[in-house]
Amino acid sequence: MKRILYHLELTAMKTCIFCISFLLLYPFISFSQNKAYSDQHRPQFHFSPPAHWMNDPNGMVYYKGEYHLFYQYYPDSTVWGPMHWGHAVSKDLIHWQQLPIALYPDSLGYIFSGSVVVDKNNTTGFQKGTESPLVAIYTYHNMTGEKSGRIDFQTQGIAYSIDKGRTWKKYANNPVIKNPGTKDFRDPKVMWHEPSKHWVMTMAAGNEIRFYRSTDLKKWEQSGSFGKDEGSHGGVWECPDLFEMKTGKSNESKWVLLVSIGSGAPNGGSGTQYFTGNFDGKTFTNENPKQTLLWLDYGTDNYAGVTWSNAPDNRRLFLGWMSNWQYAQNVPTKAWRSAMTLPRELSLRETIKGYRLFTVPAKEANTLRINSSGKQFTSNKSYPISLSEIQLEYDLEKDGSNDFGIELLNNKNESLRIGFDKQKNEFYIDRTHFSGMSFSKAFPGIHIAPRLSESKKLTLHLFIDHSSVELLADNGTVVMTDIFFPSEDFNKLQSFEKNGVSLLTKGTLYELKSIW
Ligand code: FRU
């Protein structure tokens, strides 16, 4: 583990003190929330914790009108430490209510990433009243074991809630999966597989994914493995997710496997790749040649993302951690560190290159617009902005500019460019024009993504918050998520078109409101 190490005993004590003060202060937290969310760089329409360190989204599950978001949380500091599961809920995926910490470290270890399922048929026997048990399946990371040089320090545990996620109880016979002698053995994502009538766990184990099955979430047996020599192995495999998706062709469906990698992503550091293929209830098979690399997001700041369990209407809703292990612990925010991406909806469609994931913002993001019809965005005008959504269409058939996009500027001469280079057929985000980037050598850079669509109409869909941009190009074929930290907020937004006449045929700008 490359992260900072802490003593478990000290943590347990601190945790206790924190827990008591949190409970006492909890009623006041929502009142002071607005204040906490007005500090510099603070995202205004993305989820971030009121204070302290956050990484991966965990246990995302929908139950009775609420989207639950748990997250890797260290309540004592703004850098990574003994992991807890922070907790927030939302009725609309956009506005979040912070809830008390759901899971604390215990004698078996820190609480690493994992998932939550709704045990509708009470297969666990945990149900007491009318509420279905929500069961969390997570990794225990035993620091003492790691420090003493053992390799079996990660195991899997479960906890449950029978009051709609408000309070959690750890299962008495944890761990439910012991370590088989694999150093990196973590991040269980569980789903119910109806054809085989089993719970299926997809887990990262060293340089592969392992599948386990169970009928009661307590006893598990391994059923398969995948990936040793497939896809990218530029870093450790983490946080997988497995789900079935309709392809849009009559009744056809395929399986998608997301696998995050700790380093070696296309623009450096951590990122998320995916595979498409088949799952027979026991193991996954890739339908593409082994070396094919498919990336969910080409930006540097979308990691460890997975999808909501039990989402209504069969929606495949995704959320990622908007940072990168290369610099996450050094970014210049004060009270808190890290935010999540916007909730996004995934679909699988056939392209000339095969089946690919398409990503669009969840439709609930429309409610962020101050004025639902937006205003016209034209080429030679600058707009005073703070929070915005922009939709642009370019005609590539026209003889004109070969490098175009939009630019954010402030009074300190700092800028962020998001554009398309016609010759290279690449999208890019240029975050080199900032002062104060000495916190990490890996941070400044021009990040690129290949264009996959061959359409003569190119579209850019952008969401700009105080310290992040999300680009969903060509209707979600290519995605780039980048964070940035200007020394003063950007106050100007304009389009740029280099070397020729404008190709912009349509532009709409929406001002967005804060969720806090
Ligand atoms: C991914 C990750 C997971 C692990 C967690 C620890 O960012 O390394 O593999 O469970 O973070 O916080």
Side-chain angles (χ1 to χ4, degrees):
M1 281 293 300
K2 49 193 178 286
R3 309 193 191 132
I4 303 165
L5 311 178
Y6 292 81
H7 289 292
L8 199 56
E9 300 81 20
L10 186 67
T11 307
M13 214 174 77
K14 282 189 189 169
T15 299
C16 233
I17 296 168
F18 177 84
C19 169
I20 293 164
S21 39
F22 192 92
L23 287 176
L24 291 175
L25 288 175
Y26 181 66
F28 304 103
I29 284 179
S30 50
F31 297 112
S32 59
Q33 221 170 42
N34 291 353
K35 199 158 171 280
Y37 285 90
S38 60
D39 46 0
Q40 200 193 5
H41 304 308
R42 180 68 92 160
Q44 293 302 306
F45 57 88
H46 290 88
F47 178 81
S48 62
H52 301 129
W53 170 265
M54 173 179 85
N55 55 292
D56 315 355
N58 293 151
M60 296 188 296
V61 67
Y62 176 85
Y63 182 64
K64 293 203 174 164
E66 289 180 327
Y67 292 91
H68 291 261
L69 167 61
F70 301 86
Y71 50 89
Q72 287 286 277
Y73 187 46
Y74 182 34
D76 285 351
S77 172
T78 49
V79 291
W80 190 89
M83 285 290 114
H84 300 54
W85 273 27
H87 188 193
V89 284
S90 172
K91 288 190 165 46
D92 63 0
L93 288 166
I94 301 294
H95 298 86
W96 294 96
Q97 185 199 354
Q98 196 64 44
L99 293 179
I101 289 175
L103 298 174
Y104 287 78
D106 60 48
S107 61
L108 294 176
Y110 300 171
I111 314 293
F112 271 21
S113 290
S115 48
V116 169
V117 292
V118 181
D119 183 15
K120 290 177 190 158
N121 297 324
N122 194 22
T123 60
T124 49
F126 290 149
Q127 188 165 348
K128 289 234 173 68
T130 51
E131 298 300 342
S132 295
L134 299 184
V135 183
I137 308 98
Y138 55 86
T139 298
Y140 271 118
H141 179 94
N142 191 306
M143 218 49 187
T144 324
E146 188 190 7
K147 278 196 216 161
S148 65
R150 300 174 69 103
I151 58 164
D152 59 355
F153 51 84
Q154 292 184 337
T155 56
Q156 318 311 317
I158 63 174
Y160 61 96
S161 165
I162 47 174
D163 57 1
K164 297 165 84 179
R166 278 8 187 219
T167 57
W168 290 82
K169 202 169 167 18
K170 303 227 179 80
Y171 175 52
N173 295 328
N174 277 336
V176 291
I177 302 184
K178 296 204 173 84
N179 190 298
T182 308
K183 188 162 166 270
D184 295 297
F185 186 67
R186 59 178 178 269
D187 308 338
K189 180 75 163 58
V190 175
M191 61 162 185
W192 176 253
H193 185 249
E194 184 55 28
S196 67
K197 303 254 183 293
H198 271 83
W199 295 104
V200 169
M201 178 192 292
T202 305
M203 198 189 8
N207 56 358
E208 63 177 12
I209 297 300
R210 286 191 200 149
F211 303 98
Y212 284 74
R213 47 196 233 145
S214 169
T215 49
D216 61 1
L217 295 168
K218 298 169 183 165
K219 292 180 290 306
W220 293 90
E221 55 168 24
Q222 194 186 333
S223 62
S225 64
F226 165 79
K228 259 201 178 95
D229 53 354
E230 314 222 19
S232 170
H233 284 273
V236 60
W237 282 23
E238 299 183 314
C239 300
D241 193 3
L242 175 72
F243 45 88
E244 191 175 14
M245 297 200 92
K246 294 250 177 294
T247 63
K249 274 199 204 162
S250 60
N251 268 337
E252 188 188 51
S253 64
K254 289 190 181 279
W255 287 81
V256 175
L257 177 65
L258 304 184
V259 178
S260 281
I261 56 168
S263 53
N267 286 293
S270 34
T272 303
Q273 61 181 325
Y274 69 91
F275 302 89
T276 60
N278 187 37
F279 179 72
D280 63 2
K282 292 187 167 171
T283 201
F284 176 83
T285 40
N286 187 0
E287 67 179 3
N288 292 305
K290 290 180 175 190
Q291 271 65 41
T292 309
L293 297 183
L294 306 177
W295 298 100
L296 187 72
D297 192 317
Y298 282 85
T300 42
D301 300 293
N302 179 359
Y303 191 60
V306 289
T307 62
W308 257 278
S309 173
N310 199 39
D313 309 321
N314 271 327
R315 294 172 79 194
R316 202 33 75 181
L317 296 165
F318 169 94
L319 193 81
W321 174 46
M322 206 154 51
S323 198
N324 190 310
W325 279 117
Q326 283 187 311
Y327 43 71
Q329 304 189 78
N330 309 102
V331 298
T333 57
K334 287 201 181 78
W336 93 102
R337 275 218 176 90
S338 303
M340 298 298 181
T341 64
L342 269 182
R344 301 169 181 184
E345 187 155 355
L346 305 179
S347 59
L348 188 69
R349 281 190 252 156
E350 194 170 17
T351 70
I352 42 161
K353 301 221 163 112
Y355 286 90
R356 294 290 182 269
L357 278 182
F358 282 60
T359 308
V360 293
K363 62 177 189 301
E364 287 81 351
N366 289 346
T367 60
L368 290 166
R369 297 170 181 170
I370 291 174
N371 175 340
S372 59
S373 48
K375 56 178 156 201
Q376 205 191 350
F377 181 91
T378 56
S379 215
N380 40 23
K381 207 175 150 193
S382 72
Y383 299 82
I385 61 130
S386 55
L387 311 170
S388 58
E389 175 188 352
I390 310 158
Q391 288 178 321
L392 304 169
E393 277 180 30
Y394 297 88
D395 180 359
L396 298 184
E397 235 153 16
K398 268 198 201 166
D399 185 17
S401 170
N402 57 13
D403 188 345
F404 52 82
I406 69 133
E407 185 167 35
L408 311 178
L409 301 150
N410 66 11
N411 299 332
K412 292 268 170 76
N413 257 340
E414 293 171 316
S415 69
L416 181 85
R417 276 189 169 213
I418 304 122
F420 180 70
D421 183 324
K422 213 171 153 187
Q423 250 95 61
K424 294 187 180 153
N425 203 31
E426 275 171 6
F427 298 97
Y428 65 88
I429 299 182
D430 179 350
R431 64 171 184 197
T432 57
H433 304 286
F434 291 85
S435 55
M437 289 198 293
S438 52
F439 62 86
S440 164
K441 280 205 180 72
F443 196 80
I446 301 174
H447 306 142
I448 55 170
R451 184 168 194 237
L452 299 179
S453 163
E454 297 194 320
S455 164
K456 290 292 167 204
K457 190 175 100 179
L458 179 146
T459 64
L460 302 181
H461 191 177
L462 294 149
F463 286 84
I464 295 158
D465 203 334
H466 281 163
S467 50
S468 66
V469 58
E470 288 161 284
L471 164 66
L472 305 115
D474 288 329
N475 304 313
T477 331
V478 173
V479 183
M480 294 184 86
T481 306
D482 267 25
I483 55 173
F484 51 82
F485 301 97
S487 56
E488 189 180 285
D489 282 351
F490 286 126
N491 57 6
K492 212 161 107 181
L493 164 71
Q494 64 194 26
S495 92
F496 68 87
E497 307 224 21
K498 286 198 212 157
N499 315 325
V501 298
S502 169
L503 304 187
L504 185 68
T505 51
K506 196 173 166 201
T508 315
L509 171 67
Y510 301 91
E511 259 191 85
L512 304 184
K513 48 193 169 208
S514 172
I515 57 171
W516 305 113

